[in-house]
Amino acid sequence: MQHGYWIRSKPVYTSLAWQYRAQAHMVLAHGEAGRAVLRLYQQRLPEQPVSVLYLVGDEEADYTASLRALAGDCLLTFTKQEALWAAFNAALASACMGTRLYAAGNEAFLWQVSTLAASHGVLHADIMREQPASLARPVYCVHCKTITPHVTTNIAVCSGCQRHLFVRDHFSRRLGAYMGLMVDAEAPGEVPAAEEIYP
Amino acid sequence: MNNLAYKLETFRDDYTFRNSPDAIRRFPFPFDQDHYMYSVNIEPHKPGAPGSVFEHTFDIDEHYVAECADKALTLAQDKGRYAALPHMMDAQWDFLELTMESLARDYPDQFKLSKEGERWTWTNLPLGIEDSFIFGDASTLPMEPLEYMGRQVQGDFVLLDQREGTLFADAGFITSQADWSLAFDIGMAWHEWHGPVPQVEKMGVMERALKFLLSLQQGSPVRRLNWTMTINPRLDTSPEHYPQWGPDKLKVTAENAGRKAHLRVELQGLFRLPRSNAILFSIRCYLMSLEEMATYPRWIKRFHRVIRDLHPDLLEYKGIKVYHAPLMAWLAPHDDGEELPLGTQPE
């Protein structure tokens, strides 16, 4: 099923680096991706105001203490996604022109940041994104339109309709998800073994 | 073609769709040589020869009523085939204006448009529709303008918003697509929604086509042909309904390929729209079974060679690979190896 070509809608992520020509900086990270923010703080700090919004993840991946030591009062931590998005939304509403955005986390997180920012007129191209930890994919079932979070295999069961979906590289930034297509549509029941290729 | 006899036929279940001899003769056969690869095959969308599919801005043919009925069925099953982002309303009115004016001008016996200021009255005789509305006021139409006219013109329609140096697919009416999903692709930029197309990246085709389209001028629409194959004369070959049509691909045999396998040609038009500066991308689907194609030996011979030598990535992308062997078994006896002159015309 693997096609011998690259699908250009698949986003390419980079390592976060301060953009020094700016008026302000806003950094968002989730769980394990807090490490990407620590790495950012090893670069020369910008002179403009910085704020860090950190969504605490599972207990083994909590970088709150290290981030607090480096970012001090610039750090806001959250334990619930909804609270983080509300705070981000409010921050965007009062942000000035020239505010640089940085996001680190899994893809669902990165594109939630992008979607919210876009609703305030920020272009996708103007956000730096890093995916330092899990490659797990949110997968949109093209048949029943359910998004199954955190898929680590090339074939996965849809959490909505229970079909076996082949996870394509085709990615929608608006949905923040990859396309899943019924893998045994042509020959029902012939489901190849799933391989964990997005751990 | 102003006295069209519309056929009663289906594009699903019992698949009674057939082409009349006249429809076969005017079929937009896309292969002018024995080999096929992508190219930026764009030409001005100027009125073509009388009777040809290029004669009018939007081609209405003998399948019109049946295709509109099929659109309604598909939409009833899956509302997501129509979608429009909120900033596309000006472009929707542009679309309504272009389609109504074109149809009323090109097929005056079938469609009529009268205007008293902003108050327009639209009459569609084949479908038995007559509505009066205020141009620019969506609340005076039974549905949004793109959906309203999308239901009344053969083919699929995408409205492309131009910004950030690219084109975004921000609205669409898609019921006869060759395996792509509007619900998934809506809002995507040019390079994203063309992402899955093989080979074009290294050829630079998409880059050049985009540059060309960004400077598309009002009043100078362009067109191109694209093609794929479909098993059974099915318009709705969507990824959404893949479980319904996917199994058909494994039922092709050397005996039935002539009836089951269809060449699917898309006549794609691109129009710059006046109010919104958006681009209308129209995708009109023509289907022809191999048996129908074989009524013109020149076409079936050429088609045999194209399919025989098609790049493996394209065989896979177009979904032909799984039935390539029985398809070849049916096609090969139709080709005596005669040297064919360049050109797409039938005998």
Side-chain angles (χ1 to χ4, degrees):
Chain A
M1 288 291 294
Q2 282 293 352
H3 298 246
Y5 53 90
W6 173 55
I7 292 188
R8 198 164 166 174
S9 58
K10 163 87 186 79
V12 174
Y13 305 108
T14 55
S15 294
L16 298 188
W18 295 116
Q19 305 293 292
Y20 295 105
R21 295 169 64 88
Q23 296 298 320
H25 307 264
M26 210 185 297
V27 185
L28 294 98
H30 178 204
E32 257 186 284
R35 192 185 280 274
V37 184
L38 297 178
R39 222 176 272 129
L40 194 54
Y41 267 86
Q42 294 186 16
Q43 303 165 18
R44 175 172 68 82
L45 279 181
E47 291 162 9
Q48 305 84 12
V50 174
S51 55
V52 178
L53 283 68
Y54 181 56
L55 176 63
V56 179
D58 306 331
E59 41 302 331
E60 74 266 29
D62 182 0
Y63 289 96
T64 306
S66 313
L67 286 169
R68 179 73 64 202
L70 288 170
D73 292 343
C74 301
L75 177 71
L76 293 171
T77 62
F78 304 87
T79 51
K80 291 206 159 38
Q81 288 233 18
E82 302 71 41
L84 170 84
W85 300 131
F88 181 45
N89 205 32
L92 284 168
S94 59
C96 57
M97 288 287 287
T99 300
R100 300 287 170 195
L101 294 178
Y102 311 81
N106 61 32
E107 284 186 291
F109 182 84
L110 296 180
W111 293 97
Q112 180 66 33
V113 170
S114 306
T115 302
L116 257 178
S119 72
H120 290 268
V122 180
L123 302 181
H124 284 172
D126 291 342
I127 304 172
M128 274 203 116
R129 301 179 193 84
E130 181 170 344
Q131 183 194 22
S134 173
L135 296 176
R137 296 179 162 194
V139 175
Y140 168 89
C141 173
V142 75
H143 312 294
C144 79
K145 302 177 168 55
T146 303
I147 293 181
T148 304
H150 215 79
V151 170
T152 61
T153 47
N154 59 341
I155 294 165
V157 175
C158 173
S159 61
C161 64
Q162 314 304 317
R163 287 185 175 95
H164 287 85
L165 304 177
F166 174 71
V167 181
R168 300 182 66 197
D169 273 348
H170 198 23
F171 183 82
S172 162
R173 284 151 171 78
R174 190 181 58 87
L175 296 167
Y178 291 84
M179 185 190 278
L181 192 66
M182 186 177 176
V183 71
D184 56 336
E186 291 177 10
E190 287 182 21
V191 179
E195 295 171 53
E196 181 162 83
I197 56 176
Y198 313 116
Chain B
M1 298 247 311
N2 282 341
N3 291 301
L4 287 168
Y6 299 111
K7 298 170 76 180
L8 284 174
E9 57 192 357
T10 56
F11 297 87
R12 59 184 74 209
D13 304 323
D14 55 352
Y15 293 112
T16 60
F17 168 93
R18 299 290 182 276
N19 286 298
S20 68
D22 185 54
I24 298 173
R25 195 181 44 76
R26 72 196 293 276
F27 190 89
F29 188 76
F31 307 109
D32 66 347
Q33 51 186 305
D34 289 349
H35 186 74
Y36 174 80
M37 183 35 90
Y38 290 110
S39 60
V40 187
N41 54 333
I42 300 175
E43 61 178 1
H45 187 33
K46 288 188 183 141
S52 77
V53 300
F54 307 120
E55 181 180 4
H56 298 307
T57 304
F58 299 99
D59 182 40
I60 300 295
D61 67 12
E62 63 188 23
H63 308 296
Y64 174 72
V65 172
E67 182 171 337
C68 289
D70 194 73
K71 280 172 179 252
L73 285 173
T74 300
L75 267 171
Q77 291 171 355
D78 182 4
K79 296 265 176 287
R81 302 309 179 83
Y82 167 73
L85 299 181
H87 62 276
M88 296 303 283
M89 193 48 87
D90 279 351
Q92 290 203 35
W93 285 106
D94 279 330
F95 169 76
L96 176 139
E97 177 183 57
L98 175 64
T99 50
M100 283 187 178
E101 289 190 341
S102 301
L103 264 54
R105 178 192 64 231
D106 296 339
Y107 305 91
D109 297 340
Q110 317 276 331
F111 306 98
K112 298 175 197 306
L113 178 64
S114 66
K115 301 180 187 176
E116 293 169 42
E118 296 300 287
R119 183 162 191 85
W120 292 23
T121 299
W122 168 247
T123 309
N124 177 334
L125 292 169
L127 297 184
I129 293 171
E130 180 167 331
D131 281 310
S132 291
F133 58 95
I134 309 295
F135 186 86
D137 180 354
S139 70
T140 61
L141 274 176
M143 56 195 87
E144 292 193 339
L146 172 59
E147 180 177 356
Y148 181 77
M149 280 312 284
R151 286 174 179 266
Q152 298 183 49
V153 188
Q154 285 170 275
D156 285 351
F157 304 96
V158 187
L159 294 172
L160 310 175
D161 192 34
Q162 183 163 335
R163 60 180 195 275
E164 299 172 44
T166 188
L167 297 167
F168 290 85
D170 283 346
F173 183 109
I174 306 294
T175 49
S176 58
Q177 71 268 53
D179 205 8
W180 68 278
S181 167
L182 175 71
F184 189 77
D185 285 7
I186 188 168
M188 281 192 189
W190 176 264
H191 288 302
E192 293 167 16
W193 94 76
H194 285 109
V197 186
Q199 291 295 320
V200 292
E201 171 82 16
K202 62 185 174 201
M203 292 166 58
V205 167
M206 287 303 164
E207 202 60 50
R208 278 179 286 148
L210 175 62
K211 283 211 174 99
F212 180 88
L213 291 177
L214 290 176
S215 57
L216 186 67
Q217 297 296 304
Q218 217 190 106
S220 305
V222 297
R223 66 179 173 232
R224 68 181 287 263
L225 295 177
N226 196 8
W227 72 278
T228 186
M229 290 191 71
T230 300
I231 300 308
N232 295 322
R234 186 177 173 95
L235 290 175
D236 173 26
T237 50
S238 59
E240 281 84 355
H241 288 161
Y242 184 38
Q244 294 174 20
W245 56 269
D248 296 344
K249 300 209 290 180
L250 299 184
K251 294 177 187 149
V252 180
T253 65
E255 290 70 43
N256 69 21
R259 287 190 314 281
K260 274 192 174 292
H262 287 69
L263 171 62
R264 181 189 193 97
V265 171
E266 293 178 352
L267 168 53
Q268 305 179 341
L270 293 137
F271 307 78
R272 176 71 71 184
L273 300 172
R275 289 172 191 73
S276 56
N277 198 44
I279 289 177
L280 165 64
F281 180 34
S282 64
I283 310 150
R284 171 64 198 283
C285 171
Y286 295 85
L287 293 164
M288 173 165 69
S289 71
L290 298 188
E291 278 182 352
E292 291 173 342
M293 190 192 296
T295 59
Y296 291 104
R298 189 186 140 89
W299 278 355
I300 202 77
K301 289 176 196 177
R302 172 148 289 159
F303 189 64
H304 167 247
R305 298 166 200 180
V306 166
I307 294 297
R308 182 189 61 199
D309 303 331
L310 196 63
H311 190 288
D313 282 0
L314 268 69
L315 277 183
E316 166 111 33
Y317 174 68
K318 292 178 184 291
I320 300 170
K321 204 166 102 177
V322 290
Y323 56 85
H324 191 245
L327 183 65
M328 289 306 299
W330 192 91
L331 282 169
H334 288 81
D335 186 1
D336 59 6
E338 178 203 2
E339 193 172 324
L340 298 173
L342 292 179
T344 58
Q345 69 280 6
E347 278 86 353

